Amino acid sequence: MASAGKGTRGALNLLKNLPRVGLNNIKPLPGAFFKAPRRMGGGKSKRKCGRGHKGQGQRGTRPRLGFEGGNTPFYLRIPKYGYYENHSRRRQYPPLSLYRLQYLIDMGRIDTTQPIDLASLTIGRALNINPKRQHYGINLVEEGADIFQAKINIEVQYASELAIATVERNGGTITMSYYDPMSLHILVDPIGFFTKGIPIPKRALPPEDLVEYYTSAESRGYLADPKEIQKARLALAEKYGYKLPDLSLEERFKMLSIRKDPRQVLFGLGAGWLVDMNRKTVLKPTDPELLEFYKS
Amino acid sequence: MLSVGHRGVLMIVKPAKYSKALQRLLVASMSTGPVQVDIPTSQSQQQTDQLTVMSSPDRPILRMVDKTSLPRSRFSQPVYSWLETLGDIKDEKLGMVELHPDVFATHPRMDILHRCVRWQYLYRKINYDFARTRAEMRGGGRKPWPQKGTGRARHGSIRSPLWHMGGKCHGPRGPYSYYQYLPLKYRALGLKVALTVKHSQGDLHIVDTLEIPTTDPEYLEDLVRYRNWGKSVLLVDMNEEISENVCEASAQLNTINVMPLVGLNVYSMLKHDTLVLTLPCVQKLENKLLYQDNRHSHGAKGTITADRDVFGTWPDK
């Protein structure tokens, strides 16, 4: 008898020696069928239908929830404070840990031979980014920094200093890039956007409060000066005490140095281009005014 | 590791440790076929032939199904099945077929099978029961006798639910449909699980074609009995144009049925003991069922196609 081990293999081995699966021995999952509890009928007080005797309860004239008979109720006595003021307008960056990233790379869900951006992370089902929920991108978190081993060219929206150091120490590159909500919609669901038949818009520049972050070299911003970034890489290596690998000696140097244009949303596709899913072609604008507009 | 699903395995059993039910299972596992009362425990002809075939070095594993375009996880291994023929009663193996593990060795989800079978039963079920209410019954508009003075109970209509031949109060109201939409990915998964279950229990056979030499139904019966295929067999061909001999022979038999690939469904696979697929069917099944795994889901949560008002229509000029 083949041993019943763990997982799919174990289950299939078990099946070999069990009776033939037929219409008479399959069952649903427990709790799949919900049996509604009996409300009325049967019981001592079925005459009143569970509403009690006389009064507001039986007659259905109870006052609103929170009413305390006339005195100022609890929910009005307590003064307001802006804990949640404008919470629905605040930017959110759901976390992606280096631990999970390493796991996905090991399982083959993310291809390290190509630059990694939010589109490839979404396709590999790293996490669920929903622009409608005020998600502005992902935040690379340090959890798993000690076991991280991959050489990647990754583009995220925020990463802490240790996360940047981990990626660079392993011979990779990391960039912080801003996507406005419209561009983010396209990035997390490219095929859904292509089926709309609308030309790819220009990616917007970051808002005022984010300009400083995305132009600074310490945070590896996409608008920063590349020379400053190189200096910052060396400074970080010195700070954390590791030797910065020389990327120009890498086979994958070309792949590691690919960066998106600040106005570009998807790799390989420019602003103003239209992807025709039916005819499998890409249409580019030819009008000089349009070209001028999309270049700016 | 070959997993063709046959059970001719020698093992040392210590009966004292195991329960009676498990002992019966263990004994049965040493013979061929699943646990069935009517199959003899001695090894059948087919088993001996299979063993001699397996031991010969001239049977290569022929990659007869083109796998180059199909995605596969780096951690899964293919499973294998014999390529047989229906041309002769005696079982001759033509080679071996490599099967995609995500279709033929997926996790055996019995609850998915149940769901699919239930869906198949229910989606076309319509309950035609209809009971008329007091308003729909003929007559009953006039008050039968005055309110007071007659000494009888007070009534307003002869068709009230209290009366004989009166309307039904809360009865079944007209055609009621039990239609339910089962997502396409579930349906594909149901087929995959059913194929897996058939393969792992040794009830899946792959043949080159469904051609048989005669129209005599006895030929098919003898073949099934010799090869120990069970009580009922489902033969699946690629298109609706199936060879005449097989059609005529199976038409006269209750338990052996022929079906084009488009008709393959979980209920039929579980109803019949054995499933027989032709080789082009295997190719097409793998392509179609694996497509559902990796395709873009339109209208899934968080996608653009779910939010229709994100971009609107063509931008204004």
Side-chain angles (χ1 to χ4, degrees), chain A residues 1 8 11-12 15-21 23 27-29 33 106-108 182 185 189 192-193 196-197, chain B residues 7 11 25-26 29 34 36 74-75 105 107 111 114 118 196-197 200-201 203 267 273 296 303-304 311 314:
Chain A
M1 183 160 74
T8 305
L12 291 175
L15 251 191
K16 280 184 194 158
N17 300 304
L18 288 171
R20 183 179 277 128
V21 176
L23 298 170
K27 271 190 178 170
L29 282 174
F33 288 96
D106 290 340
M107 294 304 274
M182 198 172 254
H185 260 104
D189 188 17
F193 173 73
K196 294 245 161 195
Chain B
R7 300 171 185 67
M11 64 173 285
L25 270 181
L26 290 169
S29 76
Q36 275 181 5
R74 58 171 85 152
F75 300 106
H107 195 74
D111 61 296
H114 179 270
R118 195 160 168 77
T196 305
V197 151
S200 72
Q201 295 199 314
D203 296 324
Y267 181 87
D273 282 351
H296 175 260
T303 58
I304 286 178
F311 288 97
W314 285 98

Side-chain angles (χ1 to χ4, degrees), chain A residues 115-125 127 129-131 135-138 155-157 177-194 200-201 203 260 264-269, chain B residues 296 302-304 310-311:
Chain A
I116 301 171
D117 66 343
L118 197 51
S120 30
L121 287 167
T122 313
I123 286 163
R125 305 285 195 274
L127 68 177
I129 296 290
N130 190 357
H135 295 167
Y136 270 66
I138 49 170
E155 186 194 67
V156 291
Q157 281 65 52
S177 202
Y178 174 77
Y179 289 89
D180 57 296
M182 198 172 254
S183 307
L184 199 69
H185 260 104
I186 300 168
L187 196 59
V188 302
D189 188 17
I191 297 174
F193 173 73
F194 296 151
I200 299 171
R203 200 204 316 178
K260 280 186 202 170
Q264 187 186 10
V265 178
L266 293 161
F267 277 120
L269 294 168
Chain B
H296 175 260
T303 58
I304 286 178
V310 170
F311 288 97

Side-chain angles (χ1 to χ4, degrees), chain B residues 35-54:
Chain B
V35 176
Q36 275 181 5
V37 178
D38 48 327
I39 299 233
T41 47
S42 59
Q43 282 197 341
S44 72
Q45 288 285 83
Q46 189 236 352
Q47 183 74 353
T48 345
D49 294 334
Q50 219 176 45
L51 287 171
T52 49
V53 164
M54 260 183 76

Side-chain angles (χ1 to χ4, degrees), chain B residues 46-187:
Chain B
Q46 189 236 352
Q47 183 74 353
T48 345
D49 294 334
Q50 219 176 45
L51 287 171
T52 49
V53 164
M54 260 183 76
S55 55
S56 86
D58 310 312
R59 299 284 175 184
I61 295 174
L62 304 166
R63 263 89 181 159
M64 287 163 173
V65 183
D66 180 28
K67 307 265 180 224
T68 47
S69 59
L70 297 175
R72 213 179 79 199
S73 156
R74 58 171 85 152
F75 300 106
S76 63
Q77 266 127 49
V79 287
Y80 298 93
S81 181
W82 290 113
L83 181 65
E84 300 165 20
T85 177
L86 295 179
D88 196 15
I89 286 184
K90 202 164 154 168
D91 197 5
E92 198 203 304
K93 315 285 193 212
L94 304 177
M96 206 155 220
V97 185
E98 196 182 64
L99 302 172
H100 199 291
D102 287 345
V103 177
F104 289 92
T106 189
H107 195 74
R109 293 276 308 267
M110 299 301 155
D111 61 296
I112 297 267
L113 287 179
H114 179 270
R115 189 138 176 224
C116 284
V117 166
R118 195 160 168 77
W119 169 73
Q120 277 188 259
Y121 168 64
L122 283 177
Y123 84 93
R124 54 193 157 185
K125 178 177 171 183
I126 303 176
N127 189 0
Y128 291 102
D129 292 348
F130 176 76
R132 292 184 204 286
T133 56
R134 61 186 288 171
E136 287 154 0
M137 292 299 281
R138 193 152 181 90
R142 181 177 57 205
K143 194 168 172 62
W145 47 77
Q147 182 83 353
K148 303 184 78 60
T150 55
R152 304 187 65 176
R154 50 192 179 182
H155 288 292
S157 137
I158 55 163
R159 298 296 186 218
S160 101
L162 274 53
W163 283 62
H164 166 67
M165 297 303 286
K168 179 101 179 160
C169 216
H170 293 298
R173 295 296 291 155
Y176 181 82
S177 137
Y178 289 81
Y179 173 78
Q180 49 177 249
Y181 171 76
L182 189 67
L184 297 173
K185 292 188 180 187
Y186 264 102
R187 299 182 212 178

